[in-house]
Amino acid sequence: DFYFEKAHSEILNKISRENPELSRDKINLYKVFGDFSNLDSLIVTTQDIKKYKILECYKSYFNSLCHELYKRKTVILGTDLQNPDICDMLEYIFSICDKSQLKEIYYFSTDKEKDAVNLEFLENYNIKILSHDKDNFQENIYLLPFLFFLIQ
């Protein structure tokens, strides 16, 4: 994700639990699982996930994320839906949101990854697979200003 952020820094606004400032001019890039540039922010264990789900200080971050899911189409990018911890965190996020208000949600996958995707999870949240070549997606990111991204 570092290279993706660097290549598109002029259109991305990085949102983390430590820096929850939204932008109206840029695509809000939520770093739900932390950021490698700040190793203390990384969610690596099941215990980390439990901590972020119960601590009051992170509620506004997750509420803000729900609000974004209500008003913008979403691409989930850079996540492994075979990882139960990632699915647990995403299920938590979707559980605190009103499912009927969610805009379209897409999961970015290359053709190779498509077979390994957790289809049951995607179907449960009506998430569509956006199967695309990674290089072509990078080239066309500027055509998608209405989307924001969740990156592991």
Side-chain angles (χ1 to χ4, degrees):
D1 66 343
F2 170 78
Y3 296 108
F4 181 80
E5 289 176 45
K6 189 173 180 176
H8 305 291
S9 61
E10 68 279 359
I11 64 166
L12 296 174
N13 176 48
K14 187 164 51 172
I15 307 289
S16 65
R17 292 176 306 277
E18 296 76 22
N19 178 32
E21 290 296 316
L22 296 176
S23 171
R24 293 180 189 261
D25 304 325
K26 293 185 175 188
I27 297 171
N28 290 312
L29 173 68
Y30 279 81
K31 304 290 288 193
V32 174
F33 297 97
D35 190 348
F36 286 111
S37 66
N38 178 5
L39 296 180
D40 291 335
S41 74
L42 292 178
I43 295 178
V44 244
T45 67
T46 303
Q47 199 63 24
D48 291 336
I49 292 172
K50 287 179 183 174
K51 176 177 77 173
Y52 289 114
K53 286 165 48 174
I54 63 170
L55 289 176
E56 192 67 33
C57 60
Y58 296 114
K59 285 199 188 271
S60 63
Y61 172 78
F62 289 113
N63 287 336
S64 171
L65 179 54
C66 280
H67 183 71
E68 290 283 330
L69 290 168
Y70 298 153
K71 69 179 188 173
R72 298 178 197 258
K73 296 178 183 178
T74 304
V75 174
I76 299 173
L77 178 66
T79 58
D80 174 9
L81 294 183
Q82 294 297 325
N83 182 324
D85 291 332
I86 290 174
C87 288
D88 181 43
M89 179 58 91
L90 291 173
E91 283 180 345
Y92 169 71
I93 292 167
F94 294 138
S95 75
I96 61 173
C97 297
D98 179 351
K99 202 171 173 182
S100 68
Q101 291 189 44
L102 297 174
K103 294 285 187 187
E104 294 96 53
I105 301 174
Y106 300 90
Y107 172 74
F108 177 76
S109 172
T110 64
D111 289 334
K112 292 177 190 171
E113 296 167 327
K114 189 173 182 179
D115 295 335
V117 167
N118 184 340
L119 293 176
E120 183 180 335
F121 178 85
L122 296 175
E123 288 171 2
N124 189 37
Y125 294 101
N126 199 27
I127 299 170
K128 298 162 189 73
I129 295 176
L130 181 63
S131 183
H132 220 284
D133 176 275
K134 287 181 183 176
D135 295 328
N136 194 14
F137 181 79
Q138 290 262 0
E139 291 170 9
N140 292 314
I141 184 104
Y142 295 96
L143 302 176
L144 305 171
F146 55 91
L147 298 174
F148 79 98
F149 304 89
L150 299 166
I151 295 188
Q152 178 180 359

